[in-house]
Amino acid sequence: MTYAIAEREAPPARDGRIRIHAPEDFAGMRAAGRLAASCLDMIADHVAPGVSTAALDDLIREFVLDHGALSATIGYRGYRHASCISVNHVICHGIPSDKTLKNGDILNIDVTVIVDGWHGDTSRMFFAGDPKVKARRLVEKTYESMMAGIAAVKPGATLRDVGAAIQHIAESAGFSVVRDFCGHGLGRVFHDAPNVVHYGSYRDRFVGLQQAPAIELKPGMFFTIEPMINDGKPDIRMLRDGWTAVTRDKSLSAQFEHSVGVTEDGCEIFTRSPAGRNAPPYV
Ligand code: MF3
Ligand code: CO
Ligand code: CO
């Protein structure tokens, strides 16, 4: 999501304050996160060359409704689908369509469900058939960068530390971090304060780049970490549909997303795969 959206979207925290949730609220996020993760576990068996992204979205919508939950994206700012499916050089917010997957495609599937009022927001990369080594490496490094960001989450650390950990993994591997989209607070609200940027290197400011704010983490904060990492330059281009963001240089892009909550000594990942299918290959 964009900064602009985050700023318009956060009614309970319009003053920019970050909500501190009560210990009992973790149970709500656990249930929502688990359902979102199970949905991605389910869809892994259906991703294959020849399948359309609209067919995958149909399965996701049915799964969510069959489990008594709501899709947070259907009706969200006019969006009409239960998932975003972003193939190859699409960075995020790809709209499911009749277009079919080809052998070697890499794709992100992003779902957000509402269970008892709580939001579970998660995405993973999937392979259609056999992607090239370079594409697989981008996916591996993107997952590694998200997990490094999560490992930095603890009381007293800052969101800049989280971004720095992500950026370090991505750039050391020769990839770039998308700066136009970020993670977000969530809970009873889909997109809340704070913005969770996926960069934080202190070196950036010497080359004129925006420095991530050093927002201090406290127990009870809930947010997503969802780095978008490009094989080429970080620059984006928006398609005329108003949703789809692609890499300006048409390079491949990958993303993973977890919803997490800050605990007394670290964090809890609400959207871990119950089936152990956190990253491909999903055997
Ligand atoms: N799930 C996305 C996120 O991670 C938001 C998708 S909004 C939609 O924030 F309308 F594009 F679905
Ligand atoms: Co999100
Ligand atoms: Co998402």
Side-chain angles (χ1 to χ4, degrees):
M1 70 157 312
T2 63
Y3 291 96
I5 291 175
E7 276 155 24
R8 285 196 306 265
E9 242 309 294
R14 211 176 261 142
D15 55 359
R17 284 179 2 135
I18 302 165
R19 185 176 294 275
I20 303 296
H21 296 85
E24 57 269 26
D25 295 341
F26 280 72
M29 289 301 285
R30 221 168 269 149
R34 188 181 172 86
L35 185 70
S38 300
C39 183
L40 295 182
D41 288 346
M42 175 280 295
I43 209 66
D45 294 324
H46 298 277
V47 174
V51 176
S52 75
T53 55
L56 296 173
D57 186 69
D58 286 341
L59 291 167
I60 289 167
R61 189 188 55 249
E62 281 159 24
F63 181 94
V64 171
L65 298 178
D66 283 351
H67 286 79
L70 293 171
S71 161
T73 57
I74 296 176
Y76 176 80
R77 297 180 173 277
Y79 196 79
R80 303 162 63 86
H81 307 273
S83 62
C84 297
I85 305 188
S86 305
V87 182
N88 293 336
H89 73 299
V90 179
I91 296 170
C92 63
H93 303 164
I95 301 172
S97 76
D98 292 338
K99 205 169 161 203
T100 55
L101 297 171
K102 305 180 307 299
N103 182 43
D105 285 347
I106 61 167
L107 55 147
N108 175 277
I109 304 182
D110 188 339
V111 299
T112 309
V113 303
I114 308 174
V115 176
D116 271 343
W118 296 99
H119 289 74
D121 186 5
T122 185
S123 79
R124 298 177 202 153
M125 295 301 292
F126 297 83
F127 296 156
D130 264 320
K132 298 217 164 72
V133 170
K134 192 171 91 159
R136 287 173 189 271
R137 183 163 168 278
L138 172 67
V139 170
E140 274 164 28
K141 287 291 167 185
T142 302
Y143 181 70
E144 203 184 305
S145 77
M146 175 186 66
M147 294 311 286
I150 292 172
V153 175
K154 59 171 188 246
T158 71
L159 283 178
R160 187 186 291 171
D161 300 326
V162 173
I166 292 166
Q167 183 175 8
H168 178 73
I169 303 268
E171 292 184 354
S172 303
F175 301 131
S176 68
V177 176
V178 171
R179 300 173 83 100
D180 297 77
F181 296 91
C182 55
H184 49 92
L186 84 173
R188 292 197 176 277
V189 178
F190 188 0
H191 290 124
D192 208 347
N195 286 328
V196 178
V197 300
H198 303 109
Y199 51 86
S201 165
Y202 85 99
R203 268 178 306 192
D204 280 358
R205 68 192 175 100
F206 299 112
V207 294
L209 288 169
Q210 174 88 34
Q211 181 79 338
I215 296 164
E216 190 183 325
L217 298 175
K218 300 196 172 83
M221 289 181 176
F222 297 163
F223 53 85
T224 71
I225 297 182
E226 48 180 305
M228 287 140 273
I229 306 298
N230 295 350
D231 186 33
K233 296 211 171 80
D235 310 75
I236 76 150
R237 182 168 72 83
M238 291 302 298
L239 297 193
R240 270 185 277 273
D241 60 28
W243 286 104
T244 313
V246 301
T247 55
R248 198 162 264 284
D249 61 9
K250 299 195 171 63
S251 63
L252 289 178
S253 187
Q255 179 180 28
F256 285 85
E257 175 176 24
H258 270 316
S259 299
V260 307
V262 184
T263 60
E264 293 299 327
D265 59 355
C267 78
E268 176 173 345
I269 302 176
F270 297 126
T271 45
R272 219 189 265 281
S273 164
R277 292 181 145 186
N278 288 292
Y282 303 112
V283 283

